[in-house]
Amino acid sequence: MKDKVRKAVFPAAGLGTRFLPATKALPKEMLALVDKPLIQYGVEEAIAAGCEQIIIVTGRNKAEIEDHFDISFELEQLLEKRGKTELLAMTRQISHMARIAYVRQKEAMGLGHAVLMARDLVGDEPFAVILPDDIIEAGVPCLQQMIEVFEQTQSSILATQVVDGPSISSYGVLDCVPVEGSPRVFDVKGLVEKPKPEDAPSRNAIIGRYILTPRIFDVLEKTPLGAGGELQLTDGIKGLLAHEKVYGYSFDGLRFDAGDKFGMLKATVEFALNHRELGTVFREYLKSLSL
Ligand code: UTP
């Protein structure tokens, strides 16, 4: 029988230093992109892709994430009393949208370590990892596209996108070859974390969506701490490659790094232009600017 991806892990225990001072007391994952916290976009994507359980890895100062997905009695009562039915329905929908479990990462020891914290909740089945600050706008949700590939390969899949120029050195980069007959799928031979542009094995950067087989947990347990003294997920995936096949998947969609100030600004413009209530006025406003 083929395995299904039923669970999605959201590492959300990082310090968000690129977004200071906004993230001094507020979790980066709760920063609003137009009117919704970043992590809600990811949770909605996972649900749209068919995931039944959401696992959020949190840490200190992250209580707002749990509050956001919980029932807010006072707010609901007030909205009801004031007859704000649409807002009430939207507020209720957030607390009912998914089965969510939380696990703590006591110290921000890296993405690989955060994923390892979810081991007991994931168990022995394939699972998705979504980095909530990578926002992907797509007709078919990015994770759903990846799950379709997983259903055929039953192997780990890493989302990838072409990055030109020197900024490739901010990413994990795939050493890979295209799979014949599947133009978006790559056979991964190796991974290099944050290479110098001249050393990058390809232009295929790893983006924050993964489907991983449960073997990754055993491998991560044995992976030594890497760059920055952290347990790197890319090092774990390198270890996984010694045992099984891993594929890259060049998704169809627009990706924004909303964990970075400039990336968040770009995402804000894009999402505001497409917003049901704001799109038209925002477009008019932008046109009126004499830049
Ligand atoms: P980032 O590297 O983008 O997040 O990790 P960061 O470390 O919080 O941010 P900067 O670089 O200091 O600005 C991607 C995701 O992985 C989580 C983060 O919360 C973020 O959602 N993460 C990272 C963890 O959960 N634990 C960690 O130890 C590191």
Side-chain angles (χ1 to χ4, degrees):
M1 220 180 69
K2 286 193 168 180
D3 278 328
K4 279 191 72 167
V5 178
R6 303 185 308 128
K7 299 179 179 178
V9 174
F10 287 73
L15 301 176
T17 54
R18 285 173 297 151
F19 230 119
L20 281 168
T23 47
K24 183 164 178 270
L26 181 75
K28 170 172 72 173
E29 300 74 16
M30 286 301 294
L31 292 174
L33 171 52
V34 184
D35 54 3
K36 244 193 267 180
L38 293 178
I39 194 160
Q40 190 179 331
Y41 288 91
V43 170
E44 287 173 353
E45 180 180 329
I47 295 164
C51 292
E52 294 157 15
Q53 191 179 2
I54 303 298
I55 297 161
I56 303 182
V57 184
T58 65
R60 275 191 297 281
N61 297 327
K62 301 282 182 169
E64 284 91 344
I65 299 177
E66 294 186 36
D67 288 344
H68 181 69
F69 290 107
D70 201 354
I71 293 172
S72 175
F73 287 110
E74 300 79 4
L75 180 63
E76 287 187 16
Q77 268 177 359
L78 201 80
L79 292 172
E80 196 158 21
K81 214 161 98 190
R82 294 188 180 167
K84 307 255 184 202
T85 43
E86 223 177 287
L87 286 178
L88 178 63
M90 187 244 280
T91 309
R92 283 199 171 135
Q93 194 260 337
I94 295 170
S95 48
H96 291 114
M97 71 170 48
R99 275 200 297 138
I100 305 186
Y102 297 90
V103 61
R104 300 273 284 209
Q105 183 190 25
K106 290 187 184 143
E107 249 182 285
M109 286 176 63
L111 186 53
H113 184 258
V115 169
L116 195 50
M117 296 299 101
R119 179 173 200 164
D120 289 345
L121 290 171
V122 171
D124 191 25
E125 56 180 285
F127 62 103
V129 175
I130 290 191
L131 302 193
D133 49 353
D134 263 341
I135 295 286
I136 299 178
E137 205 186 21
V140 176
C142 176
L143 188 61
Q144 191 177 326
Q145 298 174 41
M146 294 169 71
I147 287 178
E148 282 163 18
V149 181
F150 175 80
E151 279 167 359
Q152 289 162 22
T153 60
Q154 297 282 297
S155 298
S156 296
I157 319 268
L158 318 178
T160 175
Q161 156 180 287
V162 169
V163 169
D164 289 316
S167 51
I168 191 78
S169 46
S170 318
Y171 294 86
V173 182
L174 300 181
D175 179 2
C176 60
V177 290
V179 170
E180 228 184 273
S182 306
R184 293 189 174 275
V185 184
F186 295 85
D187 195 349
V188 175
K189 304 289 180 197
L191 300 102
V192 186
E193 184 63 22
K194 300 191 173 65
K196 287 189 194 141
E198 61 275 21
D199 296 336
S202 75
R203 297 270 126 214
N204 289 102
I206 304 171
I207 303 302
R209 300 287 182 279
Y210 309 73
I211 293 175
L212 299 169
T213 59
R215 189 173 212 157
I216 190 71
F217 294 125
D218 279 341
V219 176
L220 279 170
E221 294 273 13
K222 293 183 196 119
T223 304
L225 300 183
E230 296 187 341
L231 180 52
Q232 301 290 348
L233 184 59
T234 40
D235 289 342
I237 298 171
K238 253 195 244 174
L240 191 64
L241 265 176
H243 302 279
E244 23 176 273
K245 271 205 157 317
V246 174
Y247 291 97
Y249 176 72
S250 161
F251 57 91
D252 182 17
L254 258 186
R255 172 257 180 180
F256 300 92
D257 178 4
D260 163 88
K261 292 170 194 175
F262 187 41
M264 176 67 115
L265 283 175
K266 288 192 265 188
T268 302
V269 171
E270 186 70 24
F271 277 68
L273 283 171
N274 292 326
H275 193 276
R276 195 164 52 96
E277 290 159 23
L278 299 171
T280 311
V281 280
F282 188 58
R283 189 173 304 271
E284 288 311 312
Y285 168 69
L286 287 183
K287 280 190 194 157
S288 76
L289 295 176
S290 36
L291 296 172

